[in-house]
Amino acid sequence: MNELKIDTSALNMIAAWHLSGVNILVEQMPIIGGYAGSVEETAICDIATTLASFAVMNADIHLGGPIHIRWGTTTNRQSLQVASHTAMAMDTNTDVLLANQYYTMADSCTEMNILEISAQAMCDTVTGRELLSGVASSKGVKTNMVSGMEARALGDASMATCGMDPAEVNDIVNRILRRYENDYANPPKGKTFSQCYDVNSIEPTQEYLDLYSSASEILAECGLYY
């Protein structure tokens, strides 16, 4: 619970899961601009929360995802800063398993959506996260606004980032951010799953494939090559 709080219901669930022998993934998404404060304070809160997941709840994996109080996404500049510094600090000093949530501003089947996903995937990969959990397009609040193409974008960007230097990734992510961060107040309208996929074959439409190719070209201009 935000921020750094837990109730007896959660403790009871944790106890039951331990008795059941299941793998436990603890999720907590600190709010930038909320109780914790700005980027620096939220990063400290994120570190403390991550440590608590393992020390207090004996988690197997910690699932983060700093959320901006105004934009409600994990792909904005401030959220990427918090998540990246947290992951790099944890990865440098521990051997715990880290995950991150993906909440984009833009809808599915938009170039902005692909760019947002790619920027975060690059940050998560280069800073040492083991599991990338996504993608919830449209901040996860619109119905049927999720498809496998967004997961493909996440995977492609992550694989392309493997082995890159953090400073190089930082430069590329800054270029990608400049392509979409001015559109937060008016993100492009996309399409639902049934509009951008063949629901019988469960395959993306040619329109979505073409859009993915054009987004990949933009990413290449920024320095990310699949």
Side-chain angles (χ1 to χ4, degrees):
M1 298 172 63
N2 297 84
E3 298 286 5
L4 281 171
K5 296 186 181 295
I6 192 169
D7 59 15
T8 54
S9 295
L11 290 174
N12 286 335
M13 283 192 292
I14 291 287
W17 293 336
H18 279 300
L19 290 172
S20 300
V22 299
N23 292 320
I24 298 175
L25 183 149
V26 175
E27 174 189 358
Q28 207 276 341
M29 304 174 73
I31 301 174
I32 303 162
Y35 291 121
S38 64
V39 167
E40 292 83 356
E41 291 88 352
T42 307
I44 294 171
C45 177
D46 203 5
I47 288 286
T49 299
T50 305
L51 291 171
S53 290
F54 298 99
V56 178
M57 289 168 274
N58 199 24
D60 295 293
I61 305 173
H62 176 79
L63 175 60
I67 287 284
H68 195 284
I69 194 168
R70 178 179 182 185
W71 304 120
T73 69
T74 60
T75 56
N76 62 84
R77 184 178 294 270
Q78 291 76 19
S79 290
L80 295 180
Q81 288 175 321
V82 172
S84 295
H85 283 90
T86 297
M88 185 164 284
M90 292 298 301
D91 192 61
T92 300
N93 296 284
T94 74
D95 60 356
V96 299
L97 298 178
L98 303 174
N100 206 11
Q101 290 273 37
Y102 281 65
Y103 286 85
T104 67
M105 178 67 74
D107 296 347
S108 297
C109 201
T110 62
E111 286 183 350
M112 179 176 171
N113 183 268
I114 302 299
L115 298 182
E116 289 183 80
I117 295 166
S118 300
Q120 184 175 335
M122 293 191 74
C123 290
D124 288 340
T125 301
V126 80
T127 55
R129 292 189 189 268
E130 285 79 18
L131 189 153
L132 312 186
S133 176
V135 175
S137 301
S138 311
K139 300 189 286 188
V141 298
K142 290 186 180 180
T143 303
N144 295 330
M145 199 62 70
V146 176
S147 83
M149 285 292 283
E150 292 90 76
R152 174 183 170 182
L154 185 157
D156 283 345
S158 178
M159 290 293 290
T161 305
C162 289
M164 294 178 68
D165 182 79
E168 181 184 4
V169 170
N170 189 65
D171 289 340
I172 295 171
V173 169
N174 271 316
R175 295 185 201 113
I176 298 173
L177 275 164
R178 287 193 287 269
R179 295 291 189 117
Y180 68 78
E181 63 183 347
N182 292 327
D183 296 324
Y184 290 160
N186 189 31
K189 301 299 181 183
K191 297 189 175 182
T192 63
F193 177 79
S194 60
Q195 294 173 327
C196 62
Y197 261 68
D198 183 319
V199 295
N200 294 313
S201 64
I202 315 299
E203 293 181 351
T205 61
Q206 188 60 49
E207 177 190 15
Y208 203 172
L209 292 171
D210 292 341
L211 182 144
Y212 191 86
S213 295
S214 63
S216 299
E217 292 175 1
I218 294 173
L219 291 170
E221 293 173 3
C222 294
L224 178 65
Y225 304 96
Y226 293 165

PDB file of all heavy atoms in Angstrom, residues 6-23:
ATOM      1  N   ILE A   6       1.275  -1.295   5.131  1.00  0.00           N
ATOM      2  CA  ILE A   6       0.691  -2.616   4.918  1.00  0.00           C
ATOM      3  C   ILE A   6      -0.390  -2.822   5.966  1.00  0.00           C
ATOM      4  O   ILE A   6      -0.326  -2.243   7.061  1.00  0.00           O
ATOM      5  CB  ILE A   6       1.777  -3.718   5.012  1.00  0.00           C
ATOM      6  CG1 ILE A   6       1.229  -5.046   4.495  1.00  0.00           C
ATOM      7  CG2 ILE A   6       2.321  -3.844   6.428  1.00  0.00           C
ATOM      8  CD1 ILE A   6       2.301  -6.105   4.313  1.00  0.00           C
ATOM      9  N   ASP A   7      -1.403  -3.596   5.642  1.00  0.00           N
ATOM     10  CA  ASP A   7      -2.458  -3.864   6.618  1.00  0.00           C
ATOM     11  C   ASP A   7      -2.496  -5.353   6.962  1.00  0.00           C
ATOM     12  O   ASP A   7      -1.768  -6.164   6.380  1.00  0.00           O
ATOM     13  CB  ASP A   7      -3.819  -3.378   6.105  1.00  0.00           C
ATOM     14  CG  ASP A   7      -4.228  -4.024   4.789  1.00  0.00           C
ATOM     15  OD1 ASP A   7      -3.620  -5.047   4.403  1.00  0.00           O
ATOM     16  OD2 ASP A   7      -5.159  -3.511   4.142  1.00  0.00           O
ATOM     17  N   THR A   8      -3.332  -5.714   7.915  1.00  0.00           N
ATOM     18  CA  THR A   8      -3.388  -7.116   8.376  1.00  0.00           C
ATOM     19  C   THR A   8      -3.906  -8.054   7.285  1.00  0.00           C
ATOM     20  O   THR A   8      -3.521  -9.222   7.253  1.00  0.00           O
ATOM     21  CB  THR A   8      -4.269  -7.235   9.622  1.00  0.00           C
ATOM     22  OG1 THR A   8      -5.556  -6.656   9.361  1.00  0.00           O
ATOM     23  CG2 THR A   8      -3.622  -6.516  10.813  1.00  0.00           C
ATOM     24  N   SER A   9      -4.753  -7.552   6.392  1.00  0.00           N
ATOM     25  CA  SER A   9      -5.252  -8.400   5.300  1.00  0.00           C
ATOM     26  C   SER A   9      -4.110  -8.857   4.405  1.00  0.00           C
ATOM     27  O   SER A   9      -4.029 -10.032   4.015  1.00  0.00           O
ATOM     28  CB  SER A   9      -6.289  -7.641   4.464  1.00  0.00           C
ATOM     29  OG  SER A   9      -7.435  -7.341   5.219  1.00  0.00           O
ATOM     30  N   ALA A  10      -3.210  -7.919   4.086  1.00  0.00           N
ATOM     31  CA  ALA A  10      -2.067  -8.272   3.247  1.00  0.00           C
ATOM     32  C   ALA A  10      -1.142  -9.246   3.971  1.00  0.00           C
ATOM     33  O   ALA A  10      -0.620 -10.199   3.372  1.00  0.00           O
ATOM     34  CB  ALA A  10      -1.303  -7.009   2.846  1.00  0.00           C
ATOM     35  N   LEU A  11      -0.918  -9.029   5.251  1.00  0.00           N
ATOM     36  CA  LEU A  11      -0.066  -9.934   6.023  1.00  0.00           C
ATOM     37  C   LEU A  11      -0.673 -11.332   6.079  1.00  0.00           C
ATOM     38  O   LEU A  11       0.043 -12.342   6.007  1.00  0.00           O
ATOM     39  CB  LEU A  11       0.151  -9.382   7.431  1.00  0.00           C
ATOM     40  CG  LEU A  11       1.022  -8.122   7.525  1.00  0.00           C
ATOM     41  CD1 LEU A  11       1.035  -7.590   8.951  1.00  0.00           C
ATOM     42  CD2 LEU A  11       2.444  -8.413   7.058  1.00  0.00           C
ATOM     43  N   ASN A  12      -1.984 -11.410   6.220  1.00  0.00           N
ATOM     44  CA  ASN A  12      -2.659 -12.712   6.224  1.00  0.00           C
ATOM     45  C   ASN A  12      -2.518 -13.414   4.874  1.00  0.00           C
ATOM     46  O   ASN A  12      -2.304 -14.627   4.809  1.00  0.00           O
ATOM     47  CB  ASN A  12      -4.144 -12.543   6.565  1.00  0.00           C
ATOM     48  CG  ASN A  12      -4.378 -12.231   8.029  1.00  0.00           C
ATOM     49  OD1 ASN A  12      -3.561 -12.583   8.876  1.00  0.00           O
ATOM     50  ND2 ASN A  12      -5.474 -11.556   8.335  1.00  0.00           N
ATOM     51  N   MET A  13      -2.634 -12.650   3.795  1.00  0.00           N
ATOM     52  CA  MET A  13      -2.467 -13.228   2.461  1.00  0.00           C
ATOM     53  C   MET A  13      -1.049 -13.760   2.280  1.00  0.00           C
ATOM     54  O   MET A  13      -0.844 -14.857   1.756  1.00  0.00           O
ATOM     55  CB  MET A  13      -2.781 -12.193   1.380  1.00  0.00           C
ATOM     56  CG  MET A  13      -4.255 -11.943   1.169  1.00  0.00           C
ATOM     57  SD  MET A  13      -4.584 -10.991  -0.347  1.00  0.00           S
ATOM     58  CE  MET A  13      -3.884  -9.405   0.091  1.00  0.00           C
ATOM     59  N   ILE A  14      -0.065 -12.962   2.698  1.00  0.00           N
ATOM     60  CA  ILE A  14       1.331 -13.378   2.586  1.00  0.00           C
ATOM     61  C   ILE A  14       1.556 -14.684   3.341  1.00  0.00           C
ATOM     62  O   ILE A  14       2.199 -15.616   2.838  1.00  0.00           O
ATOM     63  CB  ILE A  14       2.269 -12.277   3.115  1.00  0.00           C
ATOM     64  CG1 ILE A  14       2.262 -11.065   2.191  1.00  0.00           C
ATOM     65  CG2 ILE A  14       3.685 -12.817   3.293  1.00  0.00           C
ATOM     66  CD1 ILE A  14       2.988 -11.263   0.890  1.00  0.00           C
ATOM     67  N   ALA A  15       1.009 -14.761   4.554  1.00  0.00           N
ATOM     68  CA  ALA A  15       1.168 -15.975   5.363  1.00  0.00           C
ATOM     69  C   ALA A  15       0.548 -17.178   4.663  1.00  0.00           C
ATOM     70  O   ALA A  15       1.129 -18.275   4.640  1.00  0.00           O
ATOM     71  CB  ALA A  15       0.542 -15.766   6.738  1.00  0.00           C
ATOM     72  N   ALA A  16      -0.631 -16.989   4.089  1.00  0.00           N
ATOM     73  CA  ALA A  16      -1.307 -18.092   3.386  1.00  0.00           C
ATOM     74  C   ALA A  16      -0.517 -18.531   2.166  1.00  0.00           C
ATOM     75  O   ALA A  16      -0.410 -19.732   1.876  1.00  0.00           O
ATOM     76  CB  ALA A  16      -2.710 -17.647   2.972  1.00  0.00           C
ATOM     77  N   TRP A  17       0.050 -17.576   1.441  1.00  0.00           N
ATOM     78  CA  TRP A  17       0.832 -17.925   0.255  1.00  0.00           C
ATOM     79  C   TRP A  17       2.081 -18.714   0.631  1.00  0.00           C
ATOM     80  O   TRP A  17       2.472 -19.656  -0.052  1.00  0.00           O
ATOM     81  CB  TRP A  17       1.221 -16.658  -0.512  1.00  0.00           C
ATOM     82  CG  TRP A  17       0.042 -15.956  -1.115  1.00  0.00           C
ATOM     83  CD1 TRP A  17      -1.171 -16.502  -1.443  1.00  0.00           C
ATOM     84  CD2 TRP A  17      -0.046 -14.576  -1.446  1.00  0.00           C
ATOM     85  NE1 TRP A  17      -2.014 -15.553  -1.955  1.00  0.00           N
ATOM     86  CE2 TRP A  17      -1.344 -14.357  -1.975  1.00  0.00           C
ATOM     87  CE3 TRP A  17       0.820 -13.499  -1.350  1.00  0.00           C
ATOM     88  CZ2 TRP A  17      -1.778 -13.101  -2.405  1.00  0.00           C
ATOM     89  CZ3 TRP A  17       0.404 -12.261  -1.776  1.00  0.00           C
ATOM     90  CH2 TRP A  17      -0.890 -12.064  -2.302  1.00  0.00           C
ATOM     91  N   HIS A  18       2.712 -18.318   1.738  1.00  0.00           N
ATOM     92  CA  HIS A  18       3.890 -19.064   2.196  1.00  0.00           C
ATOM     93  C   HIS A  18       3.513 -20.499   2.551  1.00  0.00           C
ATOM     94  O   HIS A  18       4.239 -21.444   2.227  1.00  0.00           O
ATOM     95  CB  HIS A  18       4.530 -18.368   3.394  1.00  0.00           C
ATOM     96  CG  HIS A  18       5.406 -17.216   3.022  1.00  0.00           C
ATOM     97  ND1 HIS A  18       6.518 -17.355   2.223  1.00  0.00           N
ATOM     98  CD2 HIS A  18       5.328 -15.887   3.320  1.00  0.00           C
ATOM     99  CE1 HIS A  18       7.088 -16.174   2.054  1.00  0.00           C
ATOM    100  NE2 HIS A  18       6.379 -15.266   2.698  1.00  0.00           N
ATOM    101  N   LEU A  19       2.386 -20.664   3.215  1.00  0.00           N
ATOM    102  CA  LEU A  19       1.931 -22.007   3.581  1.00  0.00           C
ATOM    103  C   LEU A  19       1.600 -22.830   2.344  1.00  0.00           C
ATOM    104  O   LEU A  19       1.744 -24.057   2.342  1.00  0.00           O
ATOM    105  CB  LEU A  19       0.703 -21.913   4.499  1.00  0.00           C
ATOM    106  CG  LEU A  19       0.964 -21.386   5.916  1.00  0.00           C
ATOM    107  CD1 LEU A  19      -0.361 -21.162   6.648  1.00  0.00           C
ATOM    108  CD2 LEU A  19       1.836 -22.364   6.695  1.00  0.00           C
ATOM    109  N   SER A  20       1.156 -22.152   1.275  1.00  0.00           N
ATOM    110  CA  SER A  20       0.793 -22.856   0.039  1.00  0.00           C
ATOM    111  C   SER A  20       2.013 -23.200  -0.803  1.00  0.00           C
ATOM    112  O   SER A  20       1.916 -23.992  -1.743  1.00  0.00           O
ATOM    113  CB  SER A  20      -0.165 -21.992  -0.793  1.00  0.00           C
ATOM    114  OG  SER A  20      -1.345 -21.719  -0.072  1.00  0.00           O
ATOM    115  N   GLY A  21       3.155 -22.581  -0.500  1.00  0.00           N
ATOM    116  CA  GLY A  21       4.375 -22.879  -1.245  1.00  0.00           C
ATOM    117  C   GLY A  21       4.455 -22.247  -2.620  1.00  0.00           C
ATOM    118  O   GLY A  21       5.211 -22.716  -3.475  1.00  0.00           O
ATOM    119  N   VAL A  22       3.693 -21.174  -2.840  1.00  0.00           N
ATOM    120  CA  VAL A  22       3.694 -20.538  -4.157  1.00  0.00           C
ATOM    121  C   VAL A  22       4.811 -19.502  -4.251  1.00  0.00           C
ATOM    122  O   VAL A  22       5.368 -19.064  -3.246  1.00  0.00           O
ATOM    123  CB  VAL A  22       2.341 -19.859  -4.443  1.00  0.00           C
ATOM    124  CG1 VAL A  22       1.221 -20.862  -4.431  1.00  0.00           C
ATOM    125  CG2 VAL A  22       2.065 -18.754  -3.425  1.00  0.00           C
ATOM    126  N   ASN A  23       5.137 -19.111  -5.483  1.00  0.00           N
ATOM    127  CA  ASN A  23       6.065 -18.000  -5.688  1.00  0.00           C
ATOM    128  C   ASN A  23       5.334 -16.692  -5.410  1.00  0.00           C
ATOM    129  O   ASN A  23       4.213 -16.488  -5.883  1.00  0.00           O
ATOM    130  CB  ASN A  23       6.604 -18.002  -7.115  1.00  0.00           C
ATOM    131  CG  ASN A  23       7.496 -19.188  -7.382  1.00  0.00           C
ATOM    132  OD1 ASN A  23       8.286 -19.583  -6.537  1.00  0.00           O
ATOM    133  ND2 ASN A  23       7.374 -19.759  -8.567  1.00  0.00           N
TER     134      ASN A  23
END
